[in-house]
Amino acid sequence: MSTHVLPTFDEVTSRYEPVIGLETHVELGTQTKMFCGCPTVFGGDPNTQVCPVCLGLPGSLPVANRAAIEATIRIGLALNCTIATWCRFARKNYFYPDMPKNFQISQYDEPLCADGYLDVEVDGELVRIGIERVHLEEDTGKTLHVGGATGRIHGATESLVDYNRAGIPLVEIVTKPVPGIGARAPEVAKAYVAELRDVIRTLGVSDVRMEQGSMRCDVNTSLNRPGEEWGTRTETKNVNSLRSVERAVRSEMLRQAAVLDAGGTITQETRHFHEDTGDTTSGRSKETATDYRYFPEPDLVPLAPEPAWVEQLKAALPELPRVHRQRLKAEWGLSDLDMQSILNAGAVELIERTVAAGASPEAARKWWLGELSRKANADGVELESIGATPAQVAQLQSLVESGRLTDKLARQVLEGVLAGEGDPAAIMAARGLEVVSDTGALTAAIDEAIAANPAVADKIRAGNHAAAGVLIGAVMKTTKGQADAKTVRELVLARLS
């Protein structure tokens, strides 16, 4: 661990200019692997979804997956890229145990898609992120290190490899360097990955579940003094949540500034991000293209997408997220600030699905940007992983609107939803939280409150209706908060009129 004293973030951005770049890997949701017919179902028993091709056994020959090529072209088109009329696969040579062939079939100097961009919104301003390339390759297997305290190889007693993931179609989306964003660098990185995830999800080519590894991000960060050349970059590998992307950029900016302030130099290397501390630690020195010894893959013919086919794919693209959000903003009657708040919380799709399940836009916003966002922030998780579904939130709101729950009781029911106790209606019944609507029971409680507070009752009879709050509070205490305060007030005033 570094012994350098970390500066504050404001101190870093006052002395240095950050440059970021992001390399995002997306597993495509094809039924079979990139170069063979093995299934791609997540969670299968280890090494049950393999064959001679994806294991790289002698004599086996790969065949490219057309569905994966089509999905990659659609991603490229959605990112405003130029689609190659001719390109080819290459062998990327390096040995790790999770690479059964000792090389990876990828693309090198001739990617399928290149030179695009994606606009993202940060604090109400558009930031254009240039896309260097979108290329297609195969994923590696998964290594499990056993016996250590950290799950990493250091300190482990043995390592196991599951090759089920080896050979799954993997799209790598590489941005151009993004300078000139200053203190917003962490937020821009997070916003870019969030927008990219929304684009890919909209295209329906991947479930982009970062927690399962179907979308992973490598975060490149460097610092330089104003007016000087860009600094040496580091690459923080396999960051697997939006929150962690932001934290990884911020952490590296702080660490690199401390090294530079102390007169040190930054080493070009890969680094690991630690979710528990928010820090990065050194991984390995970064290879260059020369180290990988790329050469054209001899067992695969070049790709030459027909221009007419590409145009058909372009014409069939769905409404993309930024356009979709503008339409929702108009339909829901939101201001730019309202929509930005929803976007910042990562709640656009959640609110939309809640509205589709029957809630009003206003009610859906209230729950997702209120109680649920506070809980997600407190737990340090993404909002979509909080444990409540849009259908459950819509049902909760329906119970409130029907008068069966007050807002206070609804929050207690929501606690049960987040604890995994079931749907709101079932939790309400099991916990006995439904609003007391029995007029007889309420009248008895009101009479008891009047008898206990005769002076207050006399004030109400004399026309001081504000004094009714004392009796309402007493009734709410008797009913354990399960009476509707508005109904109680009406009954109190009717009783004493």
Side-chain angles (χ1 to χ4, degrees):
M1 294 292 292
S2 172
T3 58
H4 297 300
V5 177
L6 295 181
T8 66
F9 188 73
D10 287 343
E11 288 172 341
V12 173
T13 54
S14 69
R15 295 196 298 269
Y16 297 98
E17 293 180 349
V19 179
I20 62 171
L22 298 113
E23 302 171 20
T24 308
H25 295 82
V26 177
E27 280 187 359
L28 297 178
T30 54
Q31 293 183 353
T32 58
K33 293 185 179 181
M34 185 62 222
F35 299 113
C36 66
C38 289
T40 58
V41 179
F42 179 80
D45 291 337
N47 298 311
T48 57
Q49 297 168 192
V50 295
C51 72
V53 174
C54 56
L55 289 177
L57 299 185
S60 61
L61 292 173
V63 177
N65 186 328
R66 177 186 172 93
I69 295 169
E70 177 177 314
T72 306
I73 293 173
R74 295 180 70 218
I75 292 172
L77 291 170
L79 297 178
N80 304 288
C81 290
T82 299
I83 309 303
T85 56
W86 190 95
C87 62
R88 57 187 173 182
F89 288 102
R91 286 192 182 182
K92 184 179 183 180
N93 294 272
Y94 59 116
F95 175 72
Y96 285 100
D98 58 3
M99 300 285 292
K101 294 192 289 286
N102 293 349
F103 63 85
Q104 180 186 35
I105 300 178
S106 181
Q107 292 186 305
Y108 173 45
D109 55 340
E110 297 164 314
L112 186 53
C113 319
D115 196 25
Y117 64 88
L118 180 63
D119 289 333
V120 302
E121 198 165 339
V122 180
D123 295 331
E125 294 183 18
L126 283 183
V127 178
R128 176 158 293 186
I129 308 296
I131 304 296
E132 181 73 35
R133 58 192 285 137
V134 179
H135 69 253
L136 185 57
E137 58 191 22
E138 58 180 340
D139 209 346
T140 62
K142 183 177 181 179
T143 306
L144 177 67
H145 303 295
V146 182
T150 64
R152 301 192 184 280
I153 193 169
H154 300 293
T157 57
E158 57 184 319
S159 297
L160 306 175
V161 184
D162 177 7
Y163 288 117
N164 283 351
R165 195 175 69 184
I168 288 181
L170 191 69
V171 168
E172 182 171 0
I173 303 160
V174 182
T175 73
K176 298 176 181 179
V178 187
I181 50 178
R184 296 187 301 167
E187 289 77 16
V188 169
K190 176 183 177 182
Y192 165 78
V193 178
E195 185 75 8
L196 181 62
R197 185 182 64 173
D198 287 347
V199 168
I200 293 170
R201 183 183 287 150
T202 298
L203 294 173
V205 297
S206 172
D207 61 11
V208 285
R209 298 186 65 172
M210 298 185 78
E211 74 280 5
Q212 290 186 358
S214 57
M215 182 175 183
R216 313 187 289 275
C217 189
D218 299 340
V219 181
N220 292 272
T221 312
S222 71
L223 293 180
N224 60 273
R225 298 277 187 181
E228 295 181 356
E229 293 184 359
W230 294 345
T232 301
R233 65 183 175 88
T234 61
E235 181 180 12
T236 306
K237 299 288 288 186
N238 294 329
V239 184
N240 63 1
S241 76
L242 299 180
R243 181 171 178 264
S244 294
V245 168
E246 180 177 2
R247 293 172 71 205
V249 174
R250 185 179 296 269
S251 175
E252 267 302 280
M253 288 174 64
L254 295 174
R255 185 193 69 83
Q256 291 184 25
V259 172
L260 295 172
D261 287 346
T265 57
I266 303 301
T267 302
Q268 184 172 343
E269 61 183 353
T270 63
R271 298 185 66 84
H272 300 298
F273 179 75
H274 300 276
E275 295 280 352
D276 53 348
T277 64
D279 296 327
T280 68
T281 54
S282 180
R284 56 181 169 81
S285 61
K286 180 62 177 171
E287 294 96 338
T288 64
T290 303
D291 297 321
Y292 291 130
R293 294 177 290 113
Y294 284 99
F295 64 85
E297 169 56 61
D299 292 333
L300 287 168
V301 297
L303 298 178
E306 288 287 342
W309 180 43
V310 173
E311 285 301 315
Q312 288 176 355
L313 296 177
K314 185 175 183 178
L317 288 178
E319 182 182 53
L320 294 177
R322 279 198 67 242
V323 177
H324 186 63
R325 288 195 298 270
Q326 290 299 317
R327 180 170 60 78
L328 290 178
K329 188 181 79 168
E331 289 179 0
W332 295 348
L334 302 179
S335 67
D336 289 340
L337 185 59
D338 290 335
M339 198 67 197
Q340 187 61 45
S341 297
I342 294 173
L343 183 61
N344 290 344
V348 175
E349 183 181 357
L350 294 167
I351 292 174
E352 184 178 15
R353 288 166 56 198
T354 304
V355 171
S360 68
E362 183 178 0
R365 283 174 55 218
K366 177 191 74 173
W367 288 112
W368 287 110
L369 298 188
E371 293 297 317
L372 291 166
S373 280
R374 282 194 289 272
K375 177 67 174 173
N377 289 334
D379 293 350
V381 298
E382 303 293 343
L383 190 57
E384 63 180 13
S385 303
I386 191 63
T389 68
Q392 289 172 327
V393 174
Q395 184 185 105
L396 184 69
Q397 180 61 25
S398 176
L399 293 171
V400 172
E401 291 176 356
S402 67
R404 298 180 66 187
L405 287 176
T406 62
D407 277 348
K408 182 177 180 180
L409 294 173
R411 287 192 288 273
Q412 295 180 48
V413 171
L414 185 60
E415 290 175 1
V417 172
L418 298 178
E421 296 176 18
D423 287 336
I427 294 170
M428 178 186 70
R431 292 191 177 191
L433 294 174
E434 186 167 359
V435 167
V436 176
S437 56
D438 182 349
T439 304
L442 290 177
T443 299
I446 289 169
D447 287 345
E448 181 182 331
I450 291 172
N453 299 275
V456 174
D458 288 341
K459 290 181 181 179
I460 297 172
R461 291 189 184 100
N464 184 2
H465 290 179
V470 174
L471 300 185
I472 294 170
V475 173
M476 297 301 288
K477 183 176 181 180
T478 300
T479 60
K480 298 180 180 179
Q482 290 179 231
D484 177 64
K486 181 180 178 182
T487 301
V488 173
R489 176 181 173 80
E490 292 172 353
L491 291 175
V492 166
L493 295 179
R495 197 76 166 163
L496 298 175
S497 63

